Amino acid sequence: MNEKQVVLLGVGAVGGALLCRKPENTEHIFVMVSGERKERMKRDGIFFNDRQYFPQIWQQTTAPDYLLIAVKNPQLEEAIIQIKEMIGAQTVLVPLMNGISAAEILRERFPQNPVVTAAVYVDAQKRGNRITCTGSYVVEIGDAEPFVLAETAALLESFGISGRICEDMRRKQWKKWMVNIGSNQVSAILRATYGEISRTPEAKALILAAMEEVVAVAQAAGVRLYQEDAVHTVERIPTWGEYGKSSMLQDVEAERKTEVEVFSGTLMEIAARYGVQTPVNQTLYWLLRATEMLYLQKQHCNQYADK
């Protein structure tokens, strides 16, 4: 499968962990990056589990066979503008992103392209240009032609990623989204690792309450998600790693824009269509938006003061 030309857009924790999962991956995956980021990558490379890598930078010659999109949701529109002129009609688009809407958005914007729906499970952390990931890396895929899914799964396996073809990707995506809505948001507000959460009954109760609202909305929308899914998730928190941090916690610690709109924000929009109440997620949304706005305002003031 490595004869396929593969381009990666987004070298955060998820994208970087895929890129460097096996040392030879950087020989077969090109990174789409420009400007100052490009110069930094050429100069400093990426450290993955303390080993330094210098990825190949994508230079357009032909359209890639695969484009792996691992940006955060607030950057998706910018990414769409970037890739519009570089892909061909046969380029397979694989969004490795949180939430339930990225694949749908890409299908609307690029109706001629195969788009694979994916749900990503990886415990990766990034600080600066250093990425750590010591656990498994699983990508569940579906909603595409069988031969596209088979090729995508084989490609992921060749990169050291477990690619699992799934029938009911709507359930898979909503289940992963449920986990994110509960664990990511609560961990970001509490600034707590998974280990700290696992020892705090009140934190686990809050995560469960947030996920139960996702279950209620899912069932109203005809998605096969159940109370047992939420309970089982909470029971598994102690297995997620003592020092593991959610992507949203990493964003808050780095004072970056979070994906709260894709989590509780989108959930509340869908809930309103079906008349489902989501008071827990409304509160989490307010807390996260306030936290985000406070540090973004501080950054803006500091930039203004420096001028």
Side-chain angles (χ1 to χ4, degrees):
M1 289 301 301
N2 284 337
E3 70 276 6
K4 296 287 185 181
Q5 191 168 61
V6 180
V7 176
L8 171 67
L9 175 58
V11 193
V14 171
L18 183 149
L19 176 67
C20 304
R21 185 73 176 175
K22 292 166 63 176
E24 58 268 32
N25 284 0
T26 52
E27 300 172 15
H28 305 295
I29 303 175
F30 293 87
V31 173
M32 185 179 175
V33 64
S34 60
E36 184 183 342
R37 290 181 180 178
K38 177 180 178 180
E39 296 308 312
R40 284 203 310 267
M41 187 166 291
K42 289 168 67 175
R43 183 185 68 241
D44 304 327
I46 298 172
F47 286 86
F48 180 74
N49 293 341
D50 292 326
R51 178 171 178 170
Q52 191 175 28
Y53 295 82
F54 288 92
Q56 297 184 84
I57 307 299
W58 169 250
Q59 294 182 334
Q60 180 92 43
T61 52
T62 60
D65 297 298
Y66 275 84
L67 178 61
L68 310 179
I69 304 171
V71 299
K72 291 291 183 70
N73 278 276
Q75 286 84 50
L76 181 56
E77 281 302 318
E78 180 184 343
I80 287 171
I81 295 170
Q82 284 183 272
I83 69 179
K84 192 160 51 175
E85 303 301 326
M86 64 162 285
I87 62 173
Q90 300 306 311
T91 302
V92 179
L93 307 179
V94 187
L96 304 172
M97 300 170 60
N98 287 325
I100 57 173
S101 59
E104 182 179 338
I105 291 170
L106 289 169
R107 289 190 184 98
E108 291 175 356
R109 302 291 284 273
F110 303 102
Q112 76 279 12
N113 289 90
V115 178
V116 175
T117 301
V120 180
Y121 292 87
V122 60
D123 180 14
Q125 298 184 40
K126 184 179 182 184
R127 185 176 293 274
N129 70 332
R130 291 182 176 272
I131 299 169
T132 57
C133 177
T134 56
S136 62
Y137 196 135
V138 177
V139 180
E140 297 174 331
I141 58 174
D143 294 343
E145 294 293 330
F147 76 92
V148 172
L149 292 175
E151 279 198 348
T152 303
L155 186 75
L156 291 169
E157 294 287 348
S158 75
F159 293 146
I161 313 297
S162 177
R164 300 176 182 172
I165 299 174
C166 302
E167 291 291 329
D168 189 351
M169 275 306 298
R170 195 170 182 225
R171 167 176 160 76
K172 295 290 185 181
Q173 274 208 311
W174 273 71
K175 186 177 179 181
K176 172 66 190 310
W177 190 43
M178 176 194 73
V179 175
N180 289 150
I181 284 173
S183 63
N184 283 31
Q185 296 190 133
V186 172
S187 67
I189 290 168
L190 298 179
R191 309 226 177 180
T193 66
Y194 296 135
E196 290 167 334
I197 287 172
S198 70
R199 294 188 295 275
T200 309
E202 293 83 358
K204 291 188 289 185
L206 184 55
I207 289 172
L208 179 61
M211 292 193 297
E212 286 174 335
E213 290 183 351
V214 182
V215 172
V217 176
Q219 292 181 351
V223 179
R224 295 191 309 111
L225 201 62
Y226 308 107
Q227 172 72 12
E228 298 79 44
D229 295 317
V231 172
H232 181 64
T233 297
V234 173
E235 291 173 346
R236 287 188 52 79
I237 292 175
T239 71
W240 294 354
E242 174 67 24
Y243 303 105
K245 294 182 178 181
S246 72
S247 59
M248 185 174 277
L249 172 55
Q250 294 176 59
D251 287 338
V252 168
E253 288 182 334
E255 297 191 342
R256 295 188 293 255
K257 188 171 178 60
T258 73
E259 294 184 298
V260 65
E261 296 293 347
V262 176
F263 294 159
S264 54
T266 300
L267 179 72
M268 290 188 297
E269 288 179 10
I270 299 173
R273 296 177 208 160
Y274 295 98
V276 178
Q277 300 299 308
T278 54
V280 174
N281 277 281
Q282 176 69 79
T283 302
L284 296 178
Y285 177 84
W286 282 330
L287 286 168
L288 284 162
R289 283 290 290 150
T291 299
E292 184 181 273
M293 290 306 299
L294 286 170
Y295 60 65
L296 291 178
Q297 287 171 4
K298 181 182 70 175
Q299 290 171 15
H300 178 74
C301 291
N302 290 340
Q303 289 172 0
Y304 183 79
D306 291 340
K307 290 183 179 180

